[in-house]
Amino acid sequence: VQLVESGGGLVKPGGSLRLSCAASGFTFISYSLNWVRQAPGKGLEWVSSISSSSSYIYYADSVKGRFTISRDNAKNAVHLQMNSLRVDDTAVYYCAREVGGSGRMDVWGTGTMVTVSS
Amino acid sequence: QSVLTQPPSVSAAPGQKVTISCSGSSSNIGINYVSWYQQLPGTAPKLLIYDNNKRPSGIPDRFSGSKSGTSATLGITGLQTGDEADYYCGTWDTSLSALYVFGTGTKVTVL
C-alpha cells in the first residue's frame, strides 16, 4: 500500500503547478483522497478532498478558486492543479488516503515540496 | 487558523504518562469522529487513533484516545524516547461547508 507524490518544485508568485499522487497496493476506487500541506516549521493544514467517484469535492477557504482536485480511477492517481500561487502556499504537500469520509487518513505519501518565490 | 486547540507542548520522563487535549466545537468534534496523528521529525504524519478511540493495526496499546462532548484526548503511557514527535488531532467540520480541520499540534518531549 503506497502513495507517491510528484510535481513539486520552485515557481514564481502567480504561477501554476500540478501535483500528482500515484497509488498502488489497494483498491483505489474504494477510498477518498486528500491533499494536506505543511509550511516550513508549521502545523498540518488540510487543502482538499475528493470522494471515490469524484461526487464530493471540498476545499479549504485558503485555496478555493485557485486549486482544483481531480482523480483518474483508471490510472489510480489524484491530482492537484494549483493556479495563482502565492508565497504562503510554500509547503510540503502530502497525499493521504481516507476511509470513506470517516476522517480517518490511514495512508500517507512522503510528500512533495512546493516553493513559491520570486 | 486552526479551530482545534491543543497545548503547544507536553513533557514527561521515560515510563511516565502524558495526555494531550484537543478542544473543538459542536460543528466538529461534537458530531464527528476524531483521529490522532503522530509526526516524527522529518517524516510524514502517521495515523495513531481513529474513530475517537480505535488503534490501527501495529499501534501499541500505550496509545489511547477518548472523546467527551466537544473535546478529545490522546494518552500515551510508558513514555519512550521514540515517542518524541508532534501530535495532531483531526476531524471533519460541518459548519458552513464541509472541511477537514487539524489541531494546532503538540510537541511531546521525553525528558
Side-chain angles (χ1 to χ4, degrees):
Chain A
V1 177
Q2 196 175 12
L3 296 171
V4 179
E5 302 93 339
S6 62
L10 174 64
V11 62
K12 288 181 168 51
S16 298
L17 215 52
R18 187 183 191 232
L19 304 184
S20 295
C21 172
S24 60
F26 63 94
T27 306
F28 186 71
I29 60 172
S30 296
Y31 295 89
S32 297
L33 274 297
N34 290 264
W35 287 97
V36 176
R37 68 185 181 184
Q38 187 170 37
K42 302 296 184 183
L44 301 177
E45 180 189 13
W46 172 81
V47 173
S48 182
S49 173
I50 185 166
S51 63
S52 57
S53 61
S54 303
S55 298
Y56 299 97
I57 290 176
Y58 305 109
Y59 298 99
D61 289 344
S62 58
V63 306
K64 200 172 294 183
R66 301 187 299 122
F67 290 12
T68 302
I69 191 171
S70 62
R71 64 188 292 164
D72 184 339
N73 287 342
K75 296 183 177 179
N76 288 1
V78 62
H79 307 285
L80 186 68
Q81 177 66 42
M82 305 187 296
N83 298 330
S84 303
L85 282 162
R86 309 188 300 220
V87 171
D88 62 358
D89 292 319
T90 295
V92 174
Y93 284 73
Y94 296 102
C95 175
R97 183 182 88 169
E98 182 188 353
V99 180
S102 66
R104 181 200 325 176
M105 297 186 198
D106 65 341
V107 177
W108 294 66
T110 57
T112 187
M113 182 71 202
V114 172
T115 302
V116 184
S117 174
S118 55
Chain B
Q1 187 174 357
S2 176
V3 299
L4 303 182
T5 303
Q6 300 178 229
S9 63
V10 296
S11 60
Q16 297 300 303
K17 174 182 179 179
V18 296
T19 59
I20 300 171
S21 60
C22 175
S23 178
S25 70
S26 58
S27 65
N28 42 66
I29 293 178
I31 56 172
N32 292 303
Y33 286 122
V34 177
S35 297
W36 287 91
Y37 303 91
Q38 177 194 59
Q39 187 176 32
L40 296 169
T43 69
K46 172 185 174 182
L47 180 67
L48 210 57
I49 296 288
Y50 68 96
D51 291 359
N52 303 332
N53 55 18
K54 296 181 174 62
R55 284 175 287 106
S57 174
I59 300 300
D61 58 6
R62 300 187 299 106
F63 295 92
S64 63
S66 64
K67 187 181 101 168
S68 178
T70 60
S71 293
T73 301
L74 174 71
I76 310 174
T77 58
L79 204 59
Q80 301 176 0
T81 55
D83 297 333
E84 278 209 346
D86 293 320
Y87 293 82
Y88 297 90
C89 55
T91 186
W92 281 100
D93 186 297
T94 49
S95 51
L96 293 176
S97 62
L99 52 97
Y100 195 90
V101 288
F102 287 102
T104 48
T106 298
K107 169 69 176 177
V108 169
T109 300
V110 182
L111 301 172

